[in-house]
Amino acid sequence: MAGKNNALQKPVNLTPELEAVVGKGPMTRAQVTSKVWDYIKKHGLQDSKDKRQINPDGALGKVTGSAQISMFKMTGAVSKHMS
């Protein structure tokens, strides 16, 4: 398994909107996911009643949209900002 190319470990380019949340790219998809969660926790963006729901602030909203989003759908929204 170690010799195979893992898509999570391949560096990708990020849009300026995503870089505003996670920092300057390129970085791996795994790093992006980790940094997005760091951002969410640092800014207290998880819904207090349902931790699976994310309430985006201005910067994250430019990536995921301004409406509340589930953590499962958020991954798809974030991936649109990687190439």
Side-chain angles (χ1 to χ4, degrees):
M1 258 296 228
K4 289 188 176 182
N5 265 347
N6 183 339
L8 286 176
Q9 299 306 323
K10 182 181 174 195
V12 292
N13 294 314
L14 313 177
T15 63
E17 294 82 9
L18 184 55
E19 284 183 335
V21 174
V22 300
K24 193 81 174 131
M27 60 181 73
T28 67
R29 290 178 181 271
Q31 288 173 310
V32 170
T33 301
S34 177
K35 288 181 181 277
V36 166
W37 275 104
D38 289 346
Y39 182 89
I40 289 168
K41 290 175 184 172
K42 178 181 177 184
H43 293 90
L45 302 179
Q46 281 181 283
D47 188 84
S48 59
K49 292 182 179 70
D50 183 355
K51 297 284 188 190
R52 295 172 297 178
Q53 297 296 321
I54 308 302
N55 299 311
D57 63 2
L60 187 59
K62 291 180 181 177
V63 176
T64 64
S66 59
Q68 187 179 64
I69 188 168
S70 80
M71 62 186 198
F72 306 109
K73 291 184 179 179
M74 183 183 64
T75 313
V78 169
S79 69
K80 293 176 183 173
H81 289 265
M82 295 185 261
S83 61

